[in-house]
Amino acid sequence: MKRIYLFLLAVVLMPMMAQAKMSFTIEGPEEVYNRIRVLNETSLETLRCRLVVLAEDGSTERVYGIYNLGGANDKDSNTDRIDRGKRIGIELPKDLPVELSFSVEYKDYPLFDVILIHLYDKSSEFNED
């Protein structure tokens, strides 16, 4: 009986753990951000991803935007306003050939405040020798 409970718990938590891997909470200095920009710093020639706003339980509350990126250093933006404290999930295609990681940066420009999401893969990392 104990094994069944553990199995069911694992099945329920697995999707949340997968989502949490590519998610972050907006923690920058501004109360509201005017834009989220995604930068392709991977070796992929094209990349399509989707940003979603996550509810407290980890489920998708709403789609924030779909981003279509070309090759290296291409960027795409969405200008919907988003509040500090919101949790954002980065969703990638299921058939993506490489594993990606990301970093988040906050920029304060004179007319708008932006969240920059940098996407990386193994080829964009360097060895410190």
Side-chain angles (χ1 to χ4, degrees), residues 29-30 33 35 105-109 112-116 118:
E30 304 298 329
Y33 286 88
R35 176 174 305 198
E105 181 180 6
Y106 302 94
K107 292 283 188 176
D108 182 16
Y109 294 111
F112 59 92
D113 300 307
V114 65
I115 300 168
L116 300 172
H118 302 267

Side-chain angles (χ1 to χ4, degrees), residues 19-28 36-38 51-54 82 85-90 102-106 115-118:
Q19 272 186 331
K21 183 177 178 186
M22 292 289 283
S23 67
F24 67 96
T25 302
I26 298 173
E27 298 176 338
I36 296 181
R37 179 175 290 153
V38 177
L51 297 186
V52 294
V53 178
L54 299 173
I82 189 91
K86 289 288 187 180
R87 193 160 156 229
I88 302 294
I90 303 168
F102 73 98
S103 67
V104 178
E105 181 180 6
Y106 302 94
I115 300 168
L116 300 172
I117 300 174
H118 302 267

